[in-house]
Amino acid sequence: MAATLRIQSDWSWALRRDEGEAWLSCRSPGKPTLYGSVTRRGLSTEGVPDIAASEGFVVGEVTKKSILISCPHENVSTKFLAPYTTFGRIHQKSITCLDISSGGGLGVSTSTDGTMKIWQAANGEIRRLLEGHVYDVNCCRFFPSGLVVLSGGMDAQLKIWSAEDASCVVTFKGHKGGILDTAIVDRGRNVLSCSRDGTARLWDCGKSACLGVIADCGSPVNGIAVGTAESSLNLGTPETAPSEREIGTEGKILLLAREDKKLQGVGLQSRQPVFLFVGSDAFNCCTFLSSTYILAGTQDGNIYQLDVRNTNAPIQVIHRSGAPVLSLLPYRDGFIASQGDGTCFIIQQDLDYVLDLTEADCDPVYKVASWEKQIYTCCRDGIVRRYQLSDL
């Protein structure tokens, strides 16, 4: 894997004053880490900070919220981005999950303070408190409409909420262990959940009933993702005719990120296994980049890119640190990943540098959500950070 550039987490504060300094490092597998620093010398005539780097590092474009650093010897470049704004008052403790509505207006988040809240994405102002789960809520997401929220908790319950009046409209019961992730099929007449109990289940929202156990793994399922499969892929045929309450399951594949180091693909309608890939450690999260390419992240810091048509060997394995990969999000022609050491980065096919979303200092970034050019992250330090990618 290529070298990794790092910068002091609060670099944008450190470089606000003249002579301000922030440390840099460049780590390459099998070589000693190169350490250095950037120092602010003053302001240019355009009002942009004049920043110089120590030996071995080169400073590229600098704006108020970003700095491009290169290490020519390792042929690596990273653009470090500071948050555009931070929301520190939504929750009192660690924020474990968040999502942004399809229109970009609302956010929803869950926390170890025991609460789930809906807030205005622009300013973090709290709009609704969603109360009804017993114990912690693990995951939350908006339906495509942006008006309804799906949540899963340690109480093994899956709930649907109105974002408008905070009422809980549906509760699904059936899992025997805490719910760890959810997915929504098409517009949301059916939803999916996975649990510590080793199963993934399909639910009918209109009748608040379980339509079936899609997979029973015998090992906790940490994350799921649903996507349309490449047409040449054989998804198998259902053993019994699907219920007419199943809407939009045909031609879809369900990914299961399992605790037992396995990433599994299952035909959503057929319930038949499509592939099984064994990784280096427990899989925490998975997502679709396209109908052909998928990504999955492990507890020991590996991000596997696979082709669903042939999962014998990964297309590539990205490894930037040994910290757990906690969330993966497709973004434009690449993806955003967050890890347990506070790193959060964006890789794009057409960019010759990595975009690093900074400021979380060694605290895990549990989840990333995006709306157009705005990226939101939630962290163990209890802060929601919003980054602006206007200059991509």
Side-chain angles (χ1 to χ4, degrees), residues 55-76:
E55 193 181 343
F57 296 95
V58 177
V59 177
E61 187 196 13
V62 177
T63 70
K64 281 181 180 166
K65 294 283 185 190
S66 73
I67 183 167
L68 182 63
I69 306 280
S70 305
C71 180
H73 185 65
E74 293 294 341
N75 192 24
V76 62

Side-chain angles (χ1 to χ4, degrees), residues 129-331:
L129 188 60
L130 305 179
E131 295 178 298
H133 277 287
V134 189
Y135 314 124
D136 280 359
V137 190
N138 289 334
C139 46
C140 57
R141 70 168 69 238
F142 281 101
F143 277 74
S145 67
L147 305 172
V148 186
V149 169
L150 177 66
S151 67
M154 286 303 289
D155 56 7
Q157 296 186 54
L158 192 65
K159 287 179 177 284
I160 296 176
W161 312 78
S162 160
E164 295 169 301
D165 65 6
S167 61
C168 175
V169 287
V170 174
T171 299
F172 298 112
K173 294 180 182 177
H175 279 295
K176 305 278 191 293
I179 292 170
L180 300 178
D181 199 11
T182 63
I184 293 172
V185 183
D186 292 349
R187 286 176 38 217
R189 308 238 329 244
N190 291 176
V191 298
L192 291 147
S193 59
C194 66
S195 161
R196 283 181 199 272
D197 67 15
T199 67
R201 289 172 178 261
L202 180 71
W203 308 87
D204 172 4
C205 297
K207 292 223 168 129
S208 56
C210 181
L211 288 168
V213 175
I214 305 297
D216 191 347
C217 305
S219 163
V221 182
N222 295 321
I224 51 173
V226 67
T228 302
E230 227 280 315
S231 56
S232 65
L233 199 63
N234 179 13
L235 297 183
T237 47
E239 286 172 9
T240 53
S243 154
E244 74 277 1
R245 302 291 305 177
E246 264 189 46
I247 315 283
T249 58
E250 196 179 355
K252 300 272 195 333
I253 187 167
L254 181 68
L255 301 181
L256 308 159
R258 296 167 33 166
E259 184 68 22
D260 60 1
K261 306 186 184 180
K262 293 179 180 132
L263 178 73
Q264 186 176 4
V266 178
L268 183 53
Q269 191 180 69
S270 71
R271 326 282 205 252
Q272 304 292 327
V274 177
F275 70 82
L276 192 65
F277 175 80
V278 181
S280 54
D281 203 346
F283 280 99
N284 291 330
C285 50
C286 53
T287 193
F288 284 85
L289 290 177
S290 67
S291 61
T292 312
Y293 300 121
I294 56 176
L295 283 182
T298 61
Q299 187 67 13
D300 60 356
N302 284 326
I303 298 171
Y304 291 91
Q305 185 182 350
L306 301 168
D307 183 325
V308 290
R309 298 165 301 185
N310 178 11
T311 57
N312 293 333
I315 297 166
Q316 63 168 337
V317 182
I318 295 161
H319 185 93
R320 284 177 63 79
S321 85
V325 180
L326 300 175
S327 112
L328 289 167
L329 179 73
Y331 189 74

Side-chain angles (χ1 to χ4, degrees), residues 310-370:
N310 178 11
T311 57
N312 293 333
I315 297 166
Q316 63 168 337
V317 182
I318 295 161
H319 185 93
R320 284 177 63 79
S321 85
V325 180
L326 300 175
S327 112
L328 289 167
L329 179 73
Y331 189 74
R332 299 198 185 173
D333 56 1
F335 66 89
I336 311 176
S338 72
Q339 292 186 264
D341 58 0
T343 56
C344 184
F345 60 90
I346 306 179
I347 290 181
Q348 295 286 298
Q349 275 173 1
D350 57 348
L351 284 185
D352 54 3
Y353 56 84
V354 175
L355 258 163
D356 204 313
L357 307 183
T358 60
E359 207 186 81
D361 185 13
C362 301
D363 276 308
V365 176
Y366 291 116
K367 192 81 177 178
V368 183
S370 69

Side-chain angles (χ1 to χ4, degrees), residues 88-105:
R89 294 187 174 170
I90 298 174
H91 293 285
Q92 304 305 309
K93 287 187 185 170
S94 170
I95 304 173
T96 48
C97 192
L98 93 167
D99 194 24
I100 301 297
S101 66
S102 51

